[in-house]
Amino acid sequence: MAETDPAAAAVPVRFKSNYAASRKIEPFYKGGRIQISRDGKFMFCPCGSKVNVIDVETGALLHSLQQDEEEDVTAFVLSPDDEVLVTGSRALLLRRWRWREPRCERSWRAVHSAPVATMALDPTATLLATGGCDSTIKVWDMSKHYCTHNLKGSSGVVHLVEFHPDISRLQLLSSSIDYKIRIWDLRSSKCVALLDGHFSAVTSLAFADGNTLLSSGRDKICMVWDLETRQSKRTVPVYETVEAAVLLPEEGDFSQLGVKKQGLHFVTAGSKGILRVWDVATAACVHTQPVPFTLREEPSERSLSQCQFVPARNEILTVSVEHNIVFYDAPTLQLKKQLAGYNEEVLDVKFLGPGDSHIVVATNSPQLKVFELATSHCQILYGHTETILALDVFRKGLMFVTSAKDRSIRVWRMGRAGRVTCVAQGLGHAHGVGAIACSRLKESFVVTSSQDCTIKIWNIPESLTSKAKAALISSPEPLHARVTERGHDKDINSVAVSPNDKLLATGSQDRLAKLWSCSDCSLLGVFSGHKRGIWCVQFSPVDQVLATSSADGTLKLWGLRDFSCLKTFEGHDASVLKIIFVSRGAQLLSSGSDGLLKLWTIKTNECVKTLDGHEDKIWGLHSNKKDDMVVTASSDSCITLWQDVTEIEEKEAQAKQEEQIMKEQELSNLLHEKRYLKALGLAISLDRPHTVLTVVKAILREPEGRRHLEENIVRLRKDQKEAVLAFLVTWNTNSRNCHEAQAVMETLLKHEAPDSLLQFSGIKSAVESLLPYTERHFQRLSRLLQASTFIEFMWHNMRLADVAQQDQGTL
């Protein structure tokens, strides 16, 4: 093992006592129509039973619109003035929200016999149209919340409704699964026209002006309609299933998108996963968004389900079938921002970047996600063809490696601008590669283990570690395994490299951990002792120690010299999936399949803290270079960032202690100055019954103590009297303090009316506690009185006898 750095050893180890969740990256979008506010600052995303309000700049969840025990939201719409949002749920309820507050203003029955599939507000936000799965369309007066129209005639689910932008026309357009576009006259409540031209579902409607309509469909065509003649003006074949068509504004400069002359141009988004610009006059595609090399093999993974123009940002928003939300610069179609709406099951996570500015996440998919923590911008990395199972980051934080079910490993590099590219790829395992580890000192090799029970060591070419040479790589370089060794009899779950790059350790389902030489992969020793399969192995950063965690719920520390078990940590009630060393090797942090994190101090074998931040298995656990932050990833689709708050809590405790000392000194001064009312109030604010009792005793010791106590108790506020009542219940349990308790109780009973006392919080439990002890004190006093009376009687009789004898002696 590497020698401990003398400078580091000179600095005392600061033990951690607690972590606090500082940020949570969780699913905020699970499908459905996304909407953007007019100013482009807020995004509204349906997510099950709620609508999440997202800050577009930071990607932060501001708040959620959700009623208690509400069923899933099936449709929602934002008013043109951005003030009101209306939702429809599976419970057939419509709700009107003031989303900025957030507050539900009104809810009413939707009258539909099946859930609402779509809805739209007219330009004045006075009329709401709802299209239902029951083939009907209903129009609502938003001010009085009653149904003004019930439009029947559609076939199947009505999935599209739009008001005509000219309010004076009072027209509504709709489409259902019969592929036709219907125009409804709201004055007569009748369908006045049927636009028949599509041969599959109509997916979007866009108005160029009052008389021109653009429609797109899954029949791979877009159609331009003249609303005066109600005939088709142009059919544009787009050769892909179109989910949305967006008209480009005529006043903008879109010359880089092939727009060379005036006229209608629109952008399509669909099954090919790219944006294309079309000229209506020529029905030709004038611009196609370039496809990165890494995306050319997975068209189904990047299909687009939505597209809309955001005027305030001059950007085009797209939503993919994988729930990724992307903002493109409208004049150039260059990517500006990308957000991941849903992460599925998260299998691994690591900090990335020189300053740990990013995290790289492996979810239950072939794509990697790299999040920039400051902005929530997400890069989607394509390359693997099956689910990514594990990842690890080199020491400098610029290169990392991944392994997947497709039996391959890939090496990735982050450029100066934060852009990540694949620079190398290796094939060789016979089954999915479930564990991977990087060299620690230099970016020289990678170790992998697989379900084929083998261990492979891969050398990293120098061309990949040089920034200048790596920048010239156009396609991934091939990697070849230097050493292959069969390591275990069952699946290998974990592999780790020692800090000096000389040793590696493996943990397997066969309940064994093994130590190997990195040079030739020769077996050096076996660690035997766990009762079930081993999930994770980790080398200590400072000692010649290996840590293992197992499905038997324990963690063990092993000596590397004699392979003996040094310590066993018990406390988890479920499998321990991941472990890391923190506090420079003095503590361990472990994660379990029960969603709990535990912090252990190695010297004392003590579990210092248990953190509950997830609802399912925690597969990912990693600490940053500064050792002041930890990231966890779970099967509940959530990624949590934990901040070390030990120093903060210590400072708070110290400040609190200093404040207590100051108050106690002040209390002592007040008692000395006989300012009893202020002393009593201060003692109550300290919330210490014994201190208040000390003040009461000090008052009672005065010549007219009973009167002073009564005057001060009466002048207390109601909340202070309630606190004193709670305190005297405690005092009354001890015979040495019962006199003070009874004195305070007498004052309260004398000066507080029964109705007033009944309003005190906790009065019932206080009376129940006071009665038995008060009766006991009364009985004790009664016995004392009887005994004193008997003694007085005896003493009186003895005195009489003495007097009689003296009289006889005199005689």
Side-chain angles (χ1 to χ4, degrees):
M1 295 291 287
E3 294 292 328
T4 305
D5 183 8
V11 179
V13 176
R14 179 180 285 275
F15 286 93
K16 303 180 190 304
S17 62
N18 196 11
Y19 286 90
S22 60
R23 185 178 172 191
K24 202 166 189 176
I25 301 172
E26 55 188 334
F28 63 82
Y29 171 63
K30 293 183 178 179
R33 185 184 174 195
I34 286 176
Q35 295 191 46
I36 302 283
S37 60
R38 285 182 67 186
D39 58 11
K41 293 181 180 178
F42 305 102
M43 181 167 61
F44 302 84
C45 305
C47 186
S49 62
K50 57 191 176 184
V51 175
N52 290 322
V53 184
I54 307 295
D55 185 318
V56 174
E57 286 302 318
T58 63
L61 173 65
L62 300 178
H63 47 252
S64 300
L65 308 179
Q66 183 181 27
Q67 289 289 93
D68 297 335
E69 300 178 3
E70 181 67 71
E71 293 196 32
D72 284 359
V73 172
T74 55
F76 78 95
V77 66
L78 182 67
S79 64
D81 60 1
D82 282 354
E83 292 302 317
V84 174
L85 186 138
V86 182
T87 60
S89 70
R90 288 192 180 277
L92 305 182
L93 284 175
L94 296 176
R95 296 190 190 276
R96 174 181 172 138
W97 301 82
R98 288 283 173 184
W99 63 268
R100 296 179 193 274
E101 299 179 16
R103 173 173 58 87
C104 179
E105 279 190 322
R106 181 79 181 267
S107 63
W108 69 98
R109 300 293 298 178
V111 187
H112 288 278
S113 58
V116 174
T118 183
M119 57 175 65
L121 281 164
D122 78 327
T124 63
T126 55
L127 294 177
L128 169 72
T130 57
C133 297
D134 57 0
S135 307
T136 66
I137 302 166
K138 301 189 189 301
V139 181
W140 305 81
D141 184 309
M142 285 298 290
S143 59
K144 298 179 181 177
H145 302 95
Y146 69 90
C147 182
T148 60
H149 300 75
N150 185 16
L151 308 177
K152 297 181 179 180
S154 302
S155 301
V157 176
V158 180
H159 60 266
L160 204 56
V161 290
E162 288 288 346
F163 281 96
H164 193 285
D166 186 353
I167 309 167
S168 61
R169 293 198 184 189
L170 273 179
Q171 287 184 344
L172 179 72
L173 282 74
S174 71
S175 183
S176 60
I177 61 169
D178 60 2
Y179 318 144
K180 296 177 177 62
I181 301 168
R182 287 176 167 79
I183 302 176
W184 304 85
D185 182 6
L186 298 184
R187 291 186 178 89
S188 61
S189 298
K190 292 182 180 178
C191 177
V192 295
L194 206 63
L195 307 184
D196 191 358
H198 286 281
F199 297 95
S200 187
V202 178
T203 53
S204 70
L205 300 173
F207 293 92
D209 53 46
N211 294 318
T212 306
L213 174 73
L214 173 69
S215 64
S216 66
R218 296 198 178 114
D219 52 5
K220 302 184 179 182
I221 62 169
C222 291
M223 300 187 73
V224 182
W225 304 86
D226 187 329
L227 294 180
E228 280 191 349
T229 61
R230 293 163 185 171
Q231 298 295 321
S232 170
K233 291 167 63 176
R234 173 76 70 179
T235 298
V236 182
V238 294
Y239 310 108
E240 70 168 324
T241 301
V242 183
E243 293 297 331
V246 177
L247 286 163
L248 289 175
E250 293 188 17
E251 61 273 10
D253 178 16
F254 297 100
S255 56
Q256 294 188 51
L257 303 184
V259 179
K260 304 298 184 185
K261 56 185 179 180
Q262 291 291 322
L264 281 182
H265 293 79
F266 63 91
V267 179
T268 57
S271 58
K272 290 187 177 180
I274 55 174
L275 298 176
R276 295 191 291 170
V277 183
W278 301 82
D279 185 349
V280 171
T282 61
C285 177
V286 295
H287 181 79
T288 300
Q289 189 180 23
V291 184
F293 177 82
T294 53
L295 300 183
R296 290 174 188 169
E297 297 177 1
E298 303 93 2
S300 62
E301 301 292 349
R302 60 181 199 277
S303 295
L304 301 177
S305 59
Q306 290 176 63
C307 179
Q308 56 184 287
F309 181 67
V310 186
R313 301 176 66 90
N314 199 25
E315 292 175 356
I316 291 176
L317 174 145
T318 66
V319 183
S320 74
V321 293
E322 295 227 323
H323 306 124
N324 300 318
I325 302 156
V326 187
F327 291 86
Y328 294 101
D329 180 46
T332 61
L333 292 188
Q334 295 296 313
L335 189 145
K336 296 289 289 291
K337 190 179 186 69
Q338 186 165 218
L339 300 171
Y342 187 65
N343 286 323
E344 299 185 85
E345 183 177 1
V346 188
L347 302 180
D348 208 351
V349 64
K350 292 285 190 294
F351 282 103
L352 183 66
D356 295 323
S357 55
H358 296 66
I359 56 171
V360 56
V361 179
T363 61
N364 192 21
S365 75
Q367 287 84 48
L368 273 172
K369 292 176 181 176
V370 177
F371 290 89
E372 186 179 1
L373 294 176
T375 64
S376 295
H377 173 65
C378 175
Q379 293 180 64
I380 311 294
L381 305 180
Y382 295 84
H384 287 287
T385 56
E386 291 188 53
T387 302
I388 297 167
L389 298 174
L391 57 91
D392 197 14
V393 180
F394 286 99
R395 184 170 59 91
K396 291 181 181 177
L398 289 173
M399 283 178 62
F400 65 97
V401 291
T402 56
S403 63
K405 279 186 179 179
D406 60 10
R407 300 177 289 181
S408 74
I409 69 167
R410 284 180 178 260
V411 182
W412 309 79
R413 187 176 188 86
M414 176 182 280
R416 288 183 180 178
R419 185 170 176 271
V420 179
T421 54
C422 180
V423 293
Q425 178 184 8
L427 288 166
H429 280 287
H431 293 283
V433 187
I436 194 164
C438 300
S439 54
R440 299 291 106 189
L441 289 177
K442 295 181 179 179
E443 298 166 338
S444 54
F445 65 89
V446 174
V447 182
T448 59
S449 60
S450 165
Q451 293 175 355
D452 59 13
C453 305
T454 64
I455 307 158
K456 288 182 183 288
I457 300 178
W458 313 72
N459 282 343
I460 302 293
E462 288 186 12
S463 60
L464 300 183
T465 59
S466 168
K467 290 183 181 179
K469 292 179 180 178
L472 301 174
I473 297 173
S474 59
S475 61
E477 287 192 14
L479 294 179
H480 302 284
R482 168 167 60 86
V483 182
T484 301
E485 184 69 37
R486 181 174 175 84
H488 292 266
D489 296 327
K490 291 185 178 181
D491 293 0
I492 301 173
N493 293 328
S494 178
V495 62
V497 178
S498 65
N500 63 0
D501 285 350
K502 292 182 179 179
L503 304 173
L504 66 92
T506 54
S508 168
Q509 284 295 107
D510 62 8
R511 299 178 289 181
L512 299 177
K514 293 185 179 182
L515 188 69
W516 311 80
S517 169
C518 276
S519 58
D520 57 359
C521 212
S522 58
L523 181 64
L524 301 178
V526 178
F527 306 95
S528 176
H530 280 293
K531 296 178 182 177
R532 298 186 67 181
I534 295 173
W535 277 112
C536 187
V537 293
Q538 284 291 336
F539 284 98
S540 168
V542 292
D543 298 315
Q544 296 192 8
V545 167
L546 180 76
T548 59
S549 68
S550 167
D552 61 14
T554 65
L555 293 78
K556 289 181 183 288
L557 291 182
W558 310 83
L560 297 183
R561 294 185 184 277
D562 56 4
F563 311 110
S564 63
C565 180
L566 305 176
K567 284 180 180 287
T568 299
F569 301 86
E570 297 181 352
H572 279 281
D573 295 327
S575 298
V576 187
L577 302 177
K578 278 286 170 73
I579 45 171
I580 57 171
F581 283 90
V582 293
S583 306
R584 300 217 319 273
Q587 290 180 295
L588 282 167
L589 198 60
S590 60
S591 66
S593 60
D594 52 4
L596 297 178
L597 279 173
K598 286 184 180 289
L599 178 65
W600 310 82
T601 299
I602 292 174
K603 189 174 182 179
T604 60
N605 267 48
E606 179 190 4
C607 177
V608 180
K609 191 73 177 179
T610 298
L611 305 168
D612 187 1
H614 292 280
E615 297 176 359
D616 210 337
K617 302 178 185 70
I618 302 176
W619 290 111
L621 175 64
H622 193 227
S623 176
N624 67 348
K625 295 184 186 72
K626 292 182 180 178
D627 199 25
D628 62 354
M629 186 172 280
V630 168
V631 62
T632 56
S634 168
S635 296
D636 61 8
S637 303
C638 292
I639 301 160
T640 305
L641 290 158
W642 303 84
Q643 186 75 39
D644 176 15
V645 294
T646 304
E647 195 172 343
I648 297 169
E649 289 185 347
E650 285 175 357
K651 287 180 179 177
E652 288 177 354
Q654 187 177 354
K656 194 173 182 181
Q657 187 178 2
E658 289 173 359
E659 186 185 358
Q660 290 281 87
I661 292 169
M662 293 293 290
K663 284 185 175 180
E664 285 176 4
Q665 182 60 49
E666 185 184 353
L667 181 64
S668 177
N669 295 339
L670 290 171
L671 287 174
H672 182 71
E673 296 166 8
K674 298 186 179 181
R675 296 164 64 187
Y676 295 124
L677 179 63
K678 199 164 183 181
L680 202 56
L682 182 60
I684 292 168
S685 71
L686 289 170
D687 194 27
R688 288 159 67 175
H690 183 71
T691 307
V692 179
L693 178 63
T694 304
V695 176
V696 171
K697 285 183 175 180
I699 296 172
L700 289 174
R701 278 197 294 268
E702 292 295 311
E704 293 187 2
R706 199 65 177 247
R707 183 174 62 80
H708 286 311
L709 178 67
E710 191 170 329
E711 289 173 355
N712 287 303
I713 293 290
V714 168
R715 292 168 66 186
L716 291 175
R717 300 191 310 268
K718 183 187 174 185
D719 61 315
Q720 292 176 322
K721 290 177 182 176
E722 289 174 349
V724 170
L725 179 64
F727 294 159
L728 69 85
V729 170
T730 307
W731 306 339
N732 198 48
T733 59
N734 192 325
S735 59
R736 285 178 295 181
N737 305 324
C738 66
H739 300 291
E740 290 80 8
Q742 294 295 325
V744 174
M745 198 185 338
E746 180 189 359
T747 303
L748 289 173
L749 291 171
K750 187 187 293 184
H751 293 276
E752 293 288 333
D755 291 341
S756 175
L757 279 172
L758 286 172
Q759 300 301 316
F760 279 30
S761 64
I763 184 67
K764 184 180 178 183
S765 59
V767 171
E768 289 174 352
S769 302
L770 286 167
L771 280 174
Y773 282 101
T774 302
E775 287 175 2
R776 190 180 299 176
H777 297 322
F778 183 74
Q779 290 169 3
R780 183 168 50 81
L781 289 173
S782 298
R783 290 195 298 272
L784 186 63
L785 182 63
Q786 289 174 3
S788 62
T789 305
F790 179 72
I791 290 170
E792 186 181 4
F793 171 75
M794 293 293 292
W795 171 246
H796 184 69
N797 285 340
M798 288 168 68
R799 285 187 63 192
L800 288 175
D802 287 344
V803 170
Q805 288 177 2
Q806 289 175 5
D807 290 345
Q808 288 177 1
T810 304
L811 292 173

